[in-house]
Amino acid sequence: MSETTDRYRRRADAFERTVVAVRPDQWANPSPCEKWTARDVVRHIVEMHAAMLHPLGRSLGPAPSMDEDPVAAFRAARADVEAILNDPALASRTCDTPTGPVTAEQHIDQVVSEDLPLHGWDLARATGQDDTIDPEDVERAWAGMRALPAELVEKFRTPGAFGPDVEVFGSEVKVAQDASPQDKLLAFIGRDPHWRP
């Protein structure tokens, strides 16, 4: 198993634990993502899993809808992505992406795998769970964010730059200089680390 697959699986496991712990009455809770409920956060993650399959001519397999069963919908979507990571021929296939050609494995690692800890925080915060992001993921994401060219960060902050209704980052939130690495990361991508429902 590759390092990328291990990383994806660890993050998907953590996200799944958060999804499983959401009470039925919490799915309509507001989330730190403006306009999104807790259910919408998971819906976005499932849709991003589908987006990893499209360049390979694949789509999500049969599964309950997000409205019927968010846990089952996420589990099915992650199984579809893990099937790519577990198949060396598929994992190494080149995909055309908005930021250029990469392998399917790299695409998964750079997009949906990176999304899982951040949106896991959104879901945890929306539903009153432990919202601590794995320090390894914080460090990796923060290093990646600081290495982004300014023009790409600007594009990430521009609504619709990657397609209709697509927003990657919000406006940066100001935090104290001595804020924790997790809070600095969240603030950079446009989250208020002190947000509460």
Side-chain angles (χ1 to χ4, degrees), residues 95-123:
C95 296
D96 288 323
T97 76
T99 55
V102 293
T103 65
E105 182 179 48
Q106 289 170 318
H107 193 208
I108 291 164
D109 196 39
Q110 293 168 5
V111 180
V112 77
S113 184
E114 287 288 333
D115 262 6
L116 287 167
L118 300 173
H119 287 304
W121 180 85
D122 292 326
L123 184 61

Side-chain angles (χ1 to χ4, degrees), residues 8 48-50 52-53 60 76-86 108 112:
Y8 170 82
M48 290 309 297
H49 278 70
M52 299 300 96
L53 304 175
L60 294 176
R78 76 171 283 190
D80 289 334
V81 164
E82 283 180 313
I84 292 170
L85 292 172
N86 293 331
I108 291 164
V112 77

Side-chain angles (χ1 to χ4, degrees), residues 4-157:
T4 300
T5 303
D6 282 343
R7 183 162 45 244
Y8 170 82
R9 188 161 290 157
R10 174 176 57 77
R11 291 168 171 174
D13 285 346
F15 188 83
E16 185 173 316
R17 284 193 296 273
T18 307
V19 177
V20 167
V22 177
R23 297 191 315 267
D25 63 311
Q26 292 180 313
W27 285 112
N29 284 11
S31 83
C33 298
E34 198 177 336
K35 306 176 196 163
W36 281 3
T37 63
R39 187 184 303 273
D40 293 329
V41 172
V42 183
R43 188 186 316 277
H44 168 74
I45 286 291
V46 170
E47 288 170 353
M48 290 309 297
H49 278 70
M52 299 300 96
L53 304 175
H54 291 160
L56 299 172
R58 293 176 161 227
S59 56
L60 294 176
S65 74
M66 272 299 305
D67 294 320
E68 293 173 305
D69 189 340
V71 174
F74 173 69
R75 284 176 173 158
R78 76 171 283 190
D80 289 334
V81 164
E82 283 180 313
I84 292 170
L85 292 172
N86 293 331
D87 183 330
L90 285 173
S92 62
R93 194 179 296 176
T94 301
C95 296
D96 288 323
T97 76
T99 55
V102 293
T103 65
E105 182 179 48
Q106 289 170 318
H107 193 208
I108 291 164
D109 196 39
Q110 293 168 5
V111 180
V112 77
S113 184
E114 287 288 333
D115 262 6
L116 287 167
L118 300 173
H119 287 304
W121 180 85
D122 292 326
L123 184 61
R125 186 56 64 101
T127 56
Q129 300 185 51
D130 179 4
D131 56 32
T132 306
I133 301 173
D134 186 313
E136 182 185 328
D137 290 330
V138 171
E139 184 180 338
R140 184 181 177 87
W142 187 225
M145 299 296 176
R146 285 180 295 177
L148 291 171
E151 61 273 13
L152 187 55
V153 171
E154 187 60 36
K155 190 174 181 183
F156 282 159
R157 294 197 196 283

